[in-house]
Amino acid sequence: MSNLEAWLIIILVVGVIASNLAVLKYSAKFKMPQFGKDHKVKPKTDDTSKRDTQADTGSADKQDEDRKA
């Protein structure tokens, strides 16, 4: 192996390490979700819960009509 090839390999390895450190430093700013911890679920607002209830009863009524037919 020539001297030039050895230097190219060393430069390549140092470049990979430096780029990984740069990405790690950049990504440390972001908050990641913590797995295994309970998260508070926001309750539905009154308008959306009423719409969901109406949609559920409407589909149940239609299913009952389909069974009768």
Side-chain angles (χ1 to χ4, degrees):
M1 183 186 288
S2 72
N3 223 6
L4 179 64
E5 291 172 345
W7 279 108
L8 287 176
I9 291 172
I10 291 170
I11 291 172
L12 180 67
V13 169
V14 169
V16 168
I17 292 171
S19 65
N20 285 340
L21 289 174
V23 168
L24 185 62
K25 184 179 176 182
Y26 176 74
S27 64
K29 298 175 187 177
F30 300 110
K31 284 194 172 187
M32 297 296 291
Q34 299 296 318
F35 298 109
K37 292 186 178 181
D38 294 333
H39 295 286
K40 293 181 180 178
V41 178
K42 293 181 181 178
K44 293 183 178 180
T45 60
D46 292 334
D47 294 336
T48 56
S49 62
K50 287 179 184 176
R51 277 187 270 146
D52 291 343
T53 306
Q54 290 172 352
D56 290 341
T57 57
S59 62
D61 291 339
K62 186 172 181 166
Q63 288 176 354
D64 289 339
E65 289 174 8
D66 292 339
R67 289 182 193 154
K68 290 177 183 177

